[in-house]
Amino acid sequence: MNLRLVVENFMKYGVLICIRCHDYRRIDIFYSTLLYALVPCHLLVAYLLELGAAQHARSALGRMKRSADSNSKDDPVQASRSFQATWYTIAWAHGINATFCLLVTTYVVYFHINHPLIGSICQVHAIIVWLKNCSYAFTNRDLRHAYLNPTSASTLPELYSQCPYPRNVTIRNLAYFWWAPTLVYQPVYPRSPTIRWLFVLKRVAEGFALSMFIWLASAQYAAPVLRNSLDKMATLNIASIIERLMKLSTISLIIWLAGFFAVFQSILNALAELMRFGDREFYTDWWNSPSVGNYWRTWNKPVYHFMRRHIYSPLVGRGFSSGFASTMVFVFSGLLHELLVGIPTHNILGVAFIGMLVQLPMIYLTAPLEKMQGINGRVIGNCIFWISFCLVGQPLAALMYFFAWQAKYGSVSRLEK
């Protein structure tokens, strides 16, 4: 950040950082703790559902072996129908359990937790657990199918042989998946031999230091810009709004980059080391993205792997086009983003959802640039990505939701009165 701007900020506003000025209530802490404590209950239900499905699969396999020994021929159509009926029952039960957990959190955060940061943490955790529950159900469905059809078991990764179905259906296995830094369930993961405690300490220190930096930057630099934009937003002064967006883009980019490093480099690596989780590729060089599509494939690998494994690939495998599958991925992602931003701020504006849908035409626009011969196309694509990323995406969303929050609870509603 330019040193002159830092000095100018302090001269204009003084020191805005105040440790005791955070407006949170004790009831917010109580509700957030209660919501976190309820998660193991939903995971226990998921385990019991899979345990029942595994017992059913064992019984079905036993009947198949007895039929083979007696040289009787089972109707393969009937066997397929039995498997599908069991899966539909388990799928509905999993869906109700996981969605009930998400709905309870969403309701409590929207109506009872006032502080947006506390609400955001609760909502993020609920969405993560919901995605993990879905992956747990889908993957065990595939493993169960391979268990009952040994010819298809050869397509499973060799790593899975270390913990074959149904031996993976245990409380310990599910608890490990709950804490593992991944959204895609596997019965077994590559593991590191030991825990490097010094590495964990360094990553935790990084995460703490970056969290403090984000707090300081938000309070001292972002908050004044946002507050000074309220009257411009209320009067729809377009020129002033654009000027505020450009001013906000710098600090929002710095805060986002610090948050990205804190989460994907520090926190996830510390968690992976504690869990001895072997796959540490949480992101790749998204900053060099030659297209918008490349950015979405590289900046958040855990979410990308979930979307590809459980939404994109199944749709393409069922005969849908890749364009339709990509659209469904971004529609689903848009809904999650709206839940993540709109619920904690108590304003369902649709800005986050529309922002995700707008990515689709930008992906199709920049995709040819990525495939062009030479470096010019990739440079142009990277420039388009950074302009849209810095000036349009985050600053506009932050301004809209902050204005909506102030209109509902703060200075804008008082001004209008």
Side-chain angles (χ1 to χ4, degrees), residues 40-73:
C41 301
H42 293 282
L43 293 177
L44 178 62
V45 173
Y47 162 72
L48 293 176
L49 290 173
E50 283 303 325
L51 187 63
Q55 292 176 350
H56 183 273
R58 286 193 187 97
S59 301
L61 186 63
R63 289 195 300 270
M64 291 169 59
K65 290 182 176 179
R66 288 193 296 270
S67 298
D69 293 338
S70 61
N71 295 323
S72 63
K73 295 183 178 180

Side-chain angles (χ1 to χ4, degrees), residues 219-254:
Q220 187 67 40
Y221 298 99
V225 176
L226 288 169
R227 283 195 293 266
N228 292 338
S229 305
L230 294 176
D231 57 337
K232 311 297 189 300
M233 292 284 291
T235 58
L236 289 180
N237 190 329
I238 303 300
S240 297
I241 291 174
I242 294 175
E243 184 269 336
R244 289 290 153 180
L245 282 175
M246 297 179 69
K247 190 172 183 178
L248 184 62
S249 64
T250 302
I251 187 61
S252 68
L253 176 62
I254 292 172

Side-chain angles (χ1 to χ4, degrees), residues 14-240:
V15 178
L16 300 177
I17 300 163
C18 178
I19 297 178
R20 297 183 178 180
C21 297
H22 293 280
D23 183 21
Y24 72 91
R25 305 170 301 176
R26 290 185 178 181
I27 194 67
D28 292 348
I29 304 296
F30 170 77
Y31 279 129
S32 62
T33 305
L34 181 62
L35 290 174
Y36 185 83
L38 288 176
V39 168
C41 301
H42 293 282
L43 293 177
L44 178 62
V45 173
Y47 162 72
L48 293 176
L49 290 173
E50 283 303 325
L51 187 63
Q55 292 176 350
H56 183 273
R58 286 193 187 97
S59 301
L61 186 63
R63 289 195 300 270
M64 291 169 59
K65 290 182 176 179
R66 288 193 296 270
S67 298
D69 293 338
S70 61
N71 295 323
S72 63
K73 295 183 178 180
D74 285 344
D75 185 2
V77 176
Q78 184 64 29
S80 176
R81 287 177 178 174
S82 176
F83 173 81
Q84 292 295 334
T86 303
W87 161 240
Y88 288 145
T89 303
I90 296 298
W92 273 103
H94 270 302
I96 292 172
N97 175 54
T99 305
F100 181 71
C101 177
L102 181 60
L103 288 177
V104 167
T105 302
T106 299
Y107 174 82
V108 172
V109 170
Y110 190 85
F111 290 104
H112 298 287
I113 295 181
N114 182 66
H115 199 281
L117 178 59
I118 297 174
S120 296
I121 294 173
C122 294
Q123 198 69 11
V124 166
H125 186 237
I127 291 174
I128 289 174
V129 171
W130 187 80
L131 295 174
K132 283 177 178 277
N133 259 324
C134 292
S135 183
Y136 185 69
F138 287 136
T139 303
N140 274 306
R141 184 272 312 269
D142 297 338
L143 294 173
R144 190 158 53 249
H145 184 268
Y147 177 72
L148 296 174
N149 299 271
T151 55
S152 63
S154 58
T155 61
L156 295 177
E158 185 178 351
L159 182 66
Y160 288 14
S161 62
Q162 298 179 18
C163 186
Y165 185 87
R167 280 170 45 194
N168 66 298
V169 184
T170 63
I171 287 287
R172 182 176 181 179
N173 186 275
L174 179 56
Y176 180 88
F177 176 54
W178 176 25
W179 282 97
T182 180
L183 297 176
V184 176
Y185 174 73
Q186 294 180 192
V188 62
Y189 296 93
R191 304 287 294 276
S192 56
T194 58
I195 298 176
R196 298 171 295 173
W197 291 104
L198 182 60
F199 178 88
V200 174
L201 183 61
K202 289 179 178 178
R203 301 290 83 78
V204 171
E206 286 174 357
F208 178 78
L210 287 167
S211 299
M212 291 298 100
F213 172 79
I214 292 170
W215 170 55
L216 296 174
S218 300
Q220 187 67 40
Y221 298 99
V225 176
L226 288 169
R227 283 195 293 266
N228 292 338
S229 305
L230 294 176
D231 57 337
K232 311 297 189 300
M233 292 284 291
T235 58
L236 289 180
N237 190 329
I238 303 300
S240 297

Side-chain angles (χ1 to χ4, degrees), residues 304-320 325-326 329:
Y304 169 72
H305 289 316
F306 178 91
M307 297 295 183
R308 187 173 183 85
R309 172 69 177 83
H310 295 302
I311 299 179
Y312 182 86
S313 294
L315 288 174
V316 172
R318 285 167 172 77
F320 293 96
S326 297
V329 165

Side-chain angles (χ1 to χ4, degrees), residues 349-416:
L349 305 180
V351 174
F353 177 73
I354 295 173
M356 292 302 298
L357 296 187
V358 170
Q359 301 302 310
L360 288 169
M362 295 186 64
I363 289 173
Y364 294 130
L365 176 66
T366 57
L369 298 173
E370 185 178 0
K371 301 174 183 177
M372 285 177 58
Q373 296 293 330
I375 196 174
N376 292 334
R378 300 174 66 86
V379 170
I380 295 173
N382 187 252
C383 291
I384 294 174
F385 155 68
W386 275 109
I387 292 172
S388 63
F389 182 76
C390 295
L391 295 180
V392 181
Q394 299 174 63
L396 180 60
L399 200 59
M400 294 289 289
Y401 283 101
F402 184 79
F403 179 79
W405 172 272
Q406 291 294 330
K408 196 170 186 178
Y409 299 107
S411 57
V412 174
S413 58
R414 291 194 294 269
L415 286 173
E416 291 177 349

